[in-house]
Amino acid sequence: MENQNNNNRMYLNFGNNDRQNPPNDRANYPTTPSTFPQPVFPPHSGQSGGLQPSQQAYQTGYAPQGYFMHNQYPANYPAQPQGNDFAAVNVYQQRSNTPGTNDPNTGLAHQFSHQNLGGAARAQAYNTRGPSPAQRPRTAGAPGQSSGYASYPSAPMPSSAPVPPEDLFARAPERNPDRYGSNANNNQVKCSKLAADFFKDSVRRARERNQRQSEMEAKLQEPNQSPSRREQIWSTAGRKEGQYLRFLRTKDRPENYKTIKIIGKGAFGEVKLVQKKQDGKVYAMKSLIKTEMFKRDQLAHVRSERDILAESDSPWVVKLYTTFQDTYFLYMLMEFLPGGDLMTMLIKYEIFSEDITRFYIAEIVLAIEAVHKLGFIHRDIKPDNILLDRGGHVKLTDFGLSTGFQRLHDNTYYQQLMQGRSNRPRDRNSVAIDQINLTVSNRSQINDWRRSRRLMAYSTVGTPDYIAPEIFTGQGYTYDCDWWSLGTIMFECLVGWPPFCAEDSHDTYRKIVNWRHTLYFPDDITLGVEAENLIRSLVCNTENRLGRGGAHEIKAHSFFRGVDFDSLRRIRAPFEPRLTSNIDTTYFPIDEIDQTDNATLLKAQAAQARQGGQPIEETPEMSLPFIGYTFKRFDNNFR
Amino acid sequence: MSNLFSGINARFRGGGASQKPSPQTKSPTSSTAGAGTPHSSSDLSQASQSSSSQAPKVPPLPNSPSLAQTIGMDEANRSMASGEDILNSYQLPRPLPLWLNSAYAKHIVKGNFMTLSARPKTVEQGEWIAHQVVEHYRNLWNFVRVIHEKEDDGTSICSSATCPKMSAGHNHSFTWLNSRREPVELPASEYITLMQRWISGKIDDTNIFPTDPSGVSYAHNPSITTTPLSQLSSPTGEPEWVGKRSGFPKNFVDVCQTIFRQMFRVYAHLYWAHFTDPFYHLNLEKQLNSCFSHFVLTATALDLLKPTELEPMQPLLDLWAANGTFPPESKAYEYANIKVGEHLLKVAGAS
């Protein structure tokens, strides 16, 4: 996503992989030959319309790379490995051979000033600094600049023989991160990520701001705009931008929200339906107990959830408005989806018809595809995480386990579970179910399972029912593990329970690993041939799994014959929530959820602890920086 | 003396941009005479803290035959001095710190940072400054955490043992004003902790950094906003100040200047005392460079740092002006000495 269409943008060069060869690094930087002509570029395509003259003037100044590539040196510079960079190496060579311009760095500086996020901010910079907002940007060879250098016609050479750099500069020792402790190394990871995030977020915001500014200026330019209307346009835009900035720097706090209901509860925290006191807007607020997160090493998961939700603009993914924290909790303020989740629906209806199943599974295919396109593997697709919006359409949530593709995974957690003995008491909250005996004849047992289902969903362990075997056997896994989960959900929709459900998670793991022997379609439930075939093509080993080559493989399965995937989200859903208000929680099992606020309990505990020990002194930002650098978006909050 | 020279230099480069030249740059000779005694770096506007720039015992200047000429020179004369001469006059330790080697002065970002610092046209200046203060504060503390957080054995990278003074090289150290307003020397870690507390206190104070969205105003634009300014803010006659219309207090800019000055000192300490150990070892130097250069660009563009205050990091800023990190239209570029930067690039084998 980041690399598409970014020739108008500041290019972010993250990653440390180029540190191996520092001497060549400058070759990656753009330079401009000072002798280079100054063509008038056409307004850059890809920019929004409505750019004002002053911005266009700027736009002409920064050379789209295409110019260099195709017009000026068409034959010599056929391909650049890094699409974002200007033709660097060869142009640089050429330039440094140009007489009278023995300063390659000026070109470098100028080129930097030409790479840009877009016209507006740049024009702004000029406006504040120069008398002539529409002036051409300075480039190498432009009058304003050359005079500066003319005063140093011949830059003095060093008076003595050049000193070898290794004697002049402190020698760089071999990098050795291991000399520092684990906290320092953890902080290194955070610091590196946060710095990258900072620039990524800042660039995104600046780009979006430029866009809004262009739109506003287009409005100002419209004919017949009365002065008072123009003033209104200006002041409204300024206030909105200002409010957004204020919002960005303001620490949100839970006291700003009124709790309406607790709509979900678990070991890590709870999800509440809340209403912002200031404006009455309704949100779902997930609050996670910090100490629990630390204890169970869930921070990386919160991080990935923040990342994926922050990246996403997809209708298939729950919107994240902001994240913040206090001493005890992390808070994620999310879109409230009044339709509840698929788990609740499955508990209520037990099974779906094949048509209804087709609708949900098709939507889930699209949702998973959207997540994969963001570069994430969800890893924890399950009915609890499939939410239904106002119109009854699907949105994915709970990306706590989802990870960027490149990340390595710690599967020790699963391995411990695999090896360890089940320590679950057999008589409480667990029901004696044996997969083999799961037939209609013992539906009552299934109902017991169903009742314990929600308890399971809110436990720390979560339910492993839908997890692909390769995730916890440690063989490594890829995107297609989410398609396995899809198959198990489809099984549950049609059969009434997930294919590997068992008395406790320990047994479920075993069953999943031995799926070849344990995947069993009950005799008394008739599944369509195509439905069963699709399930079997998903709940199978990864080499044969449908979807391995992309979601299109699944969409093309005959089970979906006649489904128009492109318009799916626009058609009416089979179940549309009937709501009486925007805070209607009909579709949440609030009767089954203890409505006592975690915060009340925790604060009481903390107060008790304080009497004995020392007060906790830590600023939130110090403890969890990725939340501290709070993610907030303009679009989600101000439009 | 190094800080003298770069002070002069900064003033030249800064031209009219620095509204209030600080005392020592006004009077170079008296400053030279005062070598060896701590002098205030015009910091006293800040109530709770101050700094002193510890002038070094004037060392010999074997490599700088031109220094005598350069003192009291005019701009034309000065342009005769080579980048190397000027660099020598900075009196940096030899070998030069690793961060002046252009191979280690690189970034995680390419492009024009000014696009991130320039105030959007419609946004009221105070609001923009407040935003920048908070952003840069958050950034800086990512790095501070690395050197500050204790390991399980209770040690930290920056401690009273490693850094008994809040210093930025041997030419600069900073003192803290205690409750009796006496300057005291503190270990860097304590100084930074106190500073963090102080800055947090300001940023979290809604009287200084208001948070009520209804109080937000917008930038005045004479061609569009015809409503008289007075009507937007106060009856005529009352003084106007940056941020007034958005509810920022009169001393808002002062507070922000102090915050930026203090943050600059922390950055300077990170470079002088911790660049190699730990940031280079932890592969964080590019991140540090990007955040710090963005910080300098912002602070200078918004006049939150004076050219003289940049002194402890002057050679790096010179280098960044020369290697294109600072765009030529930026004030940071204006405050830098491009010849020094070019010289540094050349001797590092980068040009």
Side-chain angles (χ1 to χ4, degrees), chain A residues 81 124 201 235 280 287 294 303 370 426 432 435 451 476 542 573 586 607:
Chain A
Q124 170 66 24
D201 290 350
S235 60
S287 45
F294 275 117
R303 169 84 226 196
R426 297 225 153 201
Q435 177 67 37
R451 270 194 290 279
T542 161
T586 309

Side-chain angles (χ1 to χ4, degrees), chain A residues 88-144:
Chain A
V89 182
N90 296 334
V91 175
Y92 170 70
Q93 292 289 347
Q94 168 140 353
R95 187 184 180 293
S96 55
N97 294 335
T98 309
T101 56
N102 56 358
D103 172 25
N105 305 302
T106 57
L108 179 60
H110 296 160
Q111 193 64 71
F112 269 131
S113 68
H114 299 154
Q115 283 184 304
N116 197 266
L117 306 174
R122 176 50 182 243
Q124 170 66 24
Y126 278 110
N127 284 344
T128 55
R129 297 192 50 78
S132 164
Q135 77 182 83
R136 293 182 64 83
R138 282 173 271 184
T139 51

Side-chain angles (χ1 to χ4, degrees), chain A residues 325-343:
Chain A
Q325 61 184 315
D326 60 20
T327 319
Y328 308 109
F329 294 98
L330 309 176
Y331 302 93
M332 304 177 86
L333 198 69
M334 297 186 292
E335 176 179 24
F336 171 59
L337 298 182
D341 60 39
L342 196 64
M343 175 179 77

Side-chain angles (χ1 to χ4, degrees), chain A residues 115-380:
Chain A
Q115 283 184 304
N116 197 266
L117 306 174
R122 176 50 182 243
Q124 170 66 24
Y126 278 110
N127 284 344
T128 55
R129 297 192 50 78
S132 164
Q135 77 182 83
R136 293 182 64 83
R138 282 173 271 184
T139 51
Q145 203 53 42
S146 55
S147 67
Y149 289 98
S151 55
Y152 316 113
S154 53
M157 299 303 286
S159 46
S160 52
V163 190
E166 59 267 30
D167 292 342
L168 191 61
F169 294 103
R171 279 168 195 269
E174 194 161 330
R175 290 185 204 257
N176 180 14
D178 297 335
R179 58 195 277 168
Y180 306 104
S182 58
N183 284 345
N185 275 286
N186 287 341
N187 284 330
Q188 187 274 345
V189 174
K190 288 179 196 166
C191 181
S192 170
K193 190 81 175 77
L194 280 169
D197 281 356
F198 167 77
F199 285 106
K200 211 160 128 188
D201 290 350
S202 300
V203 168
R204 187 217 299 262
R205 287 202 298 259
R207 211 176 79 239
E208 291 172 353
R209 191 163 53 224
N210 292 350
Q211 174 84 24
R212 292 192 295 272
Q213 188 161 308
S214 300
E215 285 165 13
M216 178 209 55
E217 292 184 348
K219 261 197 225 164
L220 287 176
Q221 294 297 315
E222 279 168 19
N224 308 324
Q225 219 49 298
S226 72
S228 66
R229 175 78 188 120
R230 279 162 51 81
E231 179 166 0
Q232 195 195 1
I233 291 170
W234 176 275
S235 60
T236 305
R239 281 212 179 90
K240 270 202 170 166
E241 294 292 345
Q243 282 170 353
Y244 179 53
L245 294 176
R246 201 165 271 203
F247 171 69
L248 283 178
R249 71 173 159 79
T250 306
K251 274 194 205 126
D252 212 338
R253 36 189 114 236
E255 292 77 31
N256 296 343
Y257 300 87
K258 190 178 88 187
T259 302
I260 296 164
K261 291 252 166 63
I262 297 177
I263 56 176
K265 208 161 192 158
F268 292 130
E270 58 202 9
V271 183
K272 294 186 277 193
L273 173 63
V274 299
Q275 199 160 18
K276 190 161 190 177
K277 288 175 185 167
Q278 215 161 42
D279 56 14
K281 282 188 183 150
V282 172
Y283 303 94
M285 186 157 86
K286 187 170 180 175
S287 45
L288 300 164
I289 304 165
K290 276 189 184 178
T291 49
E292 291 299 316
M293 306 297 291
F294 275 117
K295 252 188 252 168
R296 298 173 204 275
D297 209 16
Q298 294 292 304
L299 294 178
H301 296 162
V302 180
R303 169 84 226 196
S304 59
E305 175 149 21
R306 181 257 190 214
D307 279 354
I308 189 164
L309 294 175
E311 291 283 337
S312 154
D313 248 338
S314 166
W316 298 106
V317 172
V318 173
K319 265 200 179 107
L320 176 68
Y321 293 98
T322 178
T323 58
F324 53 97
Q325 61 184 315
D326 60 20
T327 319
Y328 308 109
F329 294 98
L330 309 176
Y331 302 93
M332 304 177 86
L333 198 69
M334 297 186 292
E335 176 179 24
F336 171 59
L337 298 182
D341 60 39
L342 196 64
M343 175 179 77
T344 306
M345 196 116 106
L346 281 166
I347 291 172
K348 188 171 165 192
Y349 292 98
E350 301 193 359
I351 57 169
F352 292 158
S353 74
E354 217 165 86
D355 281 340
I356 289 174
T357 303
R358 192 172 356 260
F359 172 82
Y360 286 116
I361 298 299
E363 287 217 336
I364 298 166
V365 168
L366 293 174
I368 294 174
E369 185 184 25
V371 171
H372 289 180
K373 278 184 180 160
L374 291 169
F376 287 89
I377 307 172
H378 191 294
R379 297 204 299 166
D380 199 21

